[in-house]
Amino acid sequence: AAAAAAAAAAMRCLHTARCSRGSAGHRSTAGSTDLYIFSDEPFRPLRDQFVESIVDTDFQLREIQVADLGAVPGRAAGGTPIYLFKTRLLLEALQATEPGDVFVICDVDIQFFGEVLPLVHECIVGRDACFQREFFDLGVNIGFMALRRTDANLAFWLRVLDEIQRTGGHDQRMVNNMLYSQSSDFNLR
C-alpha cells in the first residue's frame, strides 16, 4: 500500500529538474524526440550509466525519479507496482505527445552503444509502435519502445493498463499476448 501511494504521488508530479514540460502538456523542441525514463534510488547506478550512454543530441530527456518504486523482490521486472508505474507513465507520455509524433520510453537497465535515433526514425515509418525483439522468432521486449501518438496506441495501452490492474500479471507477457493474438482489435501498425 505504501509503495502504491508513493507511485501514485510520483505520477501526479512527473516533472523533475530534467523534465521541462509544464502541467498543461509539453512540446519537444523542433527536431527532438522525447525519451522517457524512470528510476528509484536502488537503480541510480544503472540510471547514471544509462544516461551517460545517450549520445543522440536530439533526445529530450524526460526523467522521473522517485525514492522507492515498490519493486517486489523475486518478481520479474519488479512486479505489479513497476508494471503499473511504467504503463501509467507511457499513457501520460502518449497523451502529452502531439498526434502523429513519436517518443521513446525505455528502462534504465540498458545501454546505448552509439546513436539510436536514426534507426528509431527509420523503423517507425508507417507504424504506430516499434519494439525491441525478445527472441529471434517471436516476442517483443518492452524495455525499449518507440511509440507514435495514435488512437490505436492509446486504446492498446489503456487495455494493457486495465489487464495489469485486473490480473496483476506481467506487463511484457500481456503485451505479447495482445500483439500476437488480438492485434486486429486495436488496428495497431
Side-chain angles (χ1 to χ4, degrees), residues 42-71:
F43 275 79
R44 181 171 293 282
L46 285 173
R47 174 257 174 226
D48 292 348
Q49 188 172 346
F50 171 76
V51 170
E52 288 298 317
S53 77
I54 300 169
V55 297
D56 291 279
T57 58
D58 287 335
F59 267 136
Q60 180 71 33
L61 188 60
R62 308 288 182 189
E63 182 175 14
I64 295 82
Q65 292 180 332
V66 297
D68 182 4
L69 286 165

Side-chain angles (χ1 to χ4, degrees), residues 134-146:
E134 180 72 357
F135 299 106
F136 179 73
D137 58 345
L138 178 69
V140 300
N141 181 310
I142 62 171
F144 181 89
M145 299 177 277

Side-chain angles (χ1 to χ4, degrees), residues 11-43:
M11 289 307 295
R12 286 191 297 272
C13 183
L14 294 179
H15 316 293
T16 66
R18 296 195 60 134
C19 180
S20 60
R21 83 189 145 160
S23 59
H26 73 280
R27 290 203 51 135
S28 294
T29 57
S32 70
T33 299
D34 287 338
L35 170 61
Y36 287 86
I37 65 170
F38 66 97
S39 64
D40 62 6
E41 276 305 309
F43 275 79

Side-chain angles (χ1 to χ4, degrees), residues 23-185:
S23 59
H26 73 280
R27 290 203 51 135
S28 294
T29 57
S32 70
T33 299
D34 287 338
L35 170 61
Y36 287 86
I37 65 170
F38 66 97
S39 64
D40 62 6
E41 276 305 309
F43 275 79
R44 181 171 293 282
L46 285 173
R47 174 257 174 226
D48 292 348
Q49 188 172 346
F50 171 76
V51 170
E52 288 298 317
S53 77
I54 300 169
V55 297
D56 291 279
T57 58
D58 287 335
F59 267 136
Q60 180 71 33
L61 188 60
R62 308 288 182 189
E63 182 175 14
I64 295 82
Q65 292 180 332
V66 297
D68 182 4
L69 286 165
V72 178
R75 279 295 302 271
T80 304
I82 306 301
Y83 311 152
L84 289 169
F85 189 93
K86 181 177 182 176
T87 305
R88 288 178 179 138
L89 170 62
L90 185 152
L91 281 164
E92 183 177 290
L94 272 170
Q95 292 165 344
T97 301
E98 292 293 320
D101 284 355
V102 173
F103 68 92
V104 172
I105 183 168
C106 68
D107 296 343
V108 296
D109 63 346
I110 66 170
Q111 256 186 301
F112 296 142
F113 293 100
E115 290 187 347
V116 297
L117 270 176
L119 187 58
V120 166
H121 291 302
E122 177 185 331
C123 292
I124 197 82
V125 170
R127 294 180 175 90
D128 298 317
C130 186
F131 302 92
Q132 175 181 333
R133 185 187 310 232
E134 180 72 357
F135 299 106
F136 179 73
D137 58 345
L138 178 69
V140 300
N141 181 310
I142 62 171
F144 181 89
M145 299 177 277
L147 301 171
R148 185 180 307 282
R149 164 71 186 271
T150 63
D151 291 341
N153 251 331
L154 284 166
F156 181 82
W157 290 101
L158 282 168
R159 176 82 64 86
V160 171
L161 178 62
D162 181 60
E163 287 297 307
I164 295 169
Q165 290 172 327
R166 189 176 64 76
T167 67
H170 186 251
D171 57 351
Q172 184 166 292
R173 182 169 293 135
M174 287 179 196
V175 167
N176 275 287
N177 289 343
M178 292 166 70
L179 285 173
Y180 289 100
S181 65
Q182 302 173 10
S183 62
S184 62
D185 293 358

